[in-house]
Amino acid sequence: MEPVVQAAADLSPWALFVQADIVIKIVMFGLLAASVWSWAIIFERTRRLKTINAQAKSFEDWFWKADSLDALYEPASKAKHPSARMFVAGMNEWRRSLGKGRIDREGVRARLTSILGVAIAREIDDLGDRLNVLATIGAVAPFVGLFGTVWGIMRSFTGIAASQNTTLAVVAPGIAEALFATAIGLFAAIPAVIGYNRLLHGLGRLEARLSSFGEEFHGLLSRQLDGMEDR
């Protein structure tokens, strides 16, 4: 009698997905969608941070070359980047404070400090809005993949018990499907964690830059305030 030769199981990624149980397919699809979402956030926020840093440098150069703060106010009010919005917020408070009659120097300084701080916090909060998504994907994706792995292994053991066959040809496809779910979970999680840390670092540097500019702007207004006569 000729020996029976079993065809080798197809263990390619596509075959593993097609052959997988519906639960594992849902897990895999969800993890792939999370990976695409995280990459979209990483690319969009990286591009936006790069653009904002370039705009901040350009605005700071423009700020120090301007003849007066009032001359800079009108074009800055039309700009759409954090440095310009922070400058406009400070100038609005400056103008309101000087229009009240008697000048309370310490009060003006305190309000300017508060306004600039709030403006910076608002801008950083807006830019960091989607970073929590990356943090969530990085933390949860491995466990979702692990769930798919556990489910796949349980399904494999059930199949072994039903067939009473423990040969590698029977066991391998189910185990491979299960491990593939974990691999996709790591594929989604690792870039999300790296992207989160890099973007968080970029946000920290931008916040430091805006804070430095805010202190310089505040110092300039404070010196002008000292040169004014009491009303």
Side-chain angles (χ1 to χ4, degrees):
M1 177 182 292
E2 295 183 359
V4 178
V5 180
Q6 291 183 333
D10 186 357
L11 301 180
S12 66
W14 176 249
L16 291 176
F17 176 77
V18 171
Q19 297 165 10
D21 177 70
I22 184 63
V23 174
I24 301 180
K25 283 181 179 177
I26 292 172
V27 168
M28 291 179 179
F29 183 79
L31 290 171
L32 288 173
S35 179
V36 171
W37 192 10
S38 67
W39 278 110
I41 293 173
I42 290 169
F43 282 125
E44 188 271 335
R45 292 291 150 165
T46 300
R47 180 192 60 79
R48 190 172 175 188
L49 277 174
K50 184 178 180 180
T51 300
I52 287 173
N53 276 300
Q55 290 172 333
K57 183 181 184 305
S58 178
F59 183 80
E60 288 166 17
D61 293 340
W62 188 24
F63 175 83
W64 292 114
K65 293 177 182 177
D67 295 330
S68 69
L69 296 179
D70 289 328
L72 190 58
Y73 178 83
E74 187 62 28
S77 63
K78 298 176 182 178
K80 302 298 182 184
H81 57 87
S83 296
R85 285 195 288 261
M86 187 176 68
F87 169 78
V88 170
M91 285 299 294
N92 287 338
E93 179 57 36
W94 172 256
R95 290 178 172 182
R96 284 193 297 267
S97 296
L98 296 186
K100 292 182 177 179
R102 184 177 180 277
I103 300 176
D104 177 8
R105 287 182 171 80
E106 293 308 313
V108 172
R109 289 189 178 96
R111 287 193 295 273
L112 283 173
T113 299
S114 177
I115 287 294
L116 293 174
V118 169
I120 293 171
R122 184 183 296 118
E123 296 296 339
I124 296 301
D125 184 64
D126 177 63
L127 288 170
D129 178 48
R130 296 183 182 179
L131 294 192
N132 62 327
V133 175
L134 294 180
T136 301
I137 291 173
V140 173
F143 294 101
V144 175
L146 183 60
F147 166 76
T149 297
V150 173
W151 184 272
I153 291 174
M154 289 173 57
R155 180 169 171 263
S156 295
F157 284 154
T158 302
I160 291 171
S163 64
Q164 299 296 316
N165 189 343
T166 59
T167 60
L168 186 61
V170 174
V171 176
I175 300 297
E177 292 168 14
L179 295 177
F180 189 47
T182 295
I184 296 177
L186 295 175
F187 177 78
I190 292 172
V193 171
I194 294 174
Y196 173 80
N197 289 330
R198 292 299 303 166
L199 289 172
L200 196 63
H201 176 69
L203 276 178
R205 293 185 62 184
L206 178 61
E207 184 176 10
R209 180 172 201 156
L210 292 176
S211 296
S212 296
F213 174 70
E215 289 176 5
E216 292 172 343
F217 179 38
H218 185 281
L220 181 61
L221 293 178
S222 183
R223 286 191 294 273
Q224 289 191 18
L225 197 61
D226 287 337
M228 292 181 177
E229 296 180 358
D230 292 328
R231 296 180 184 177

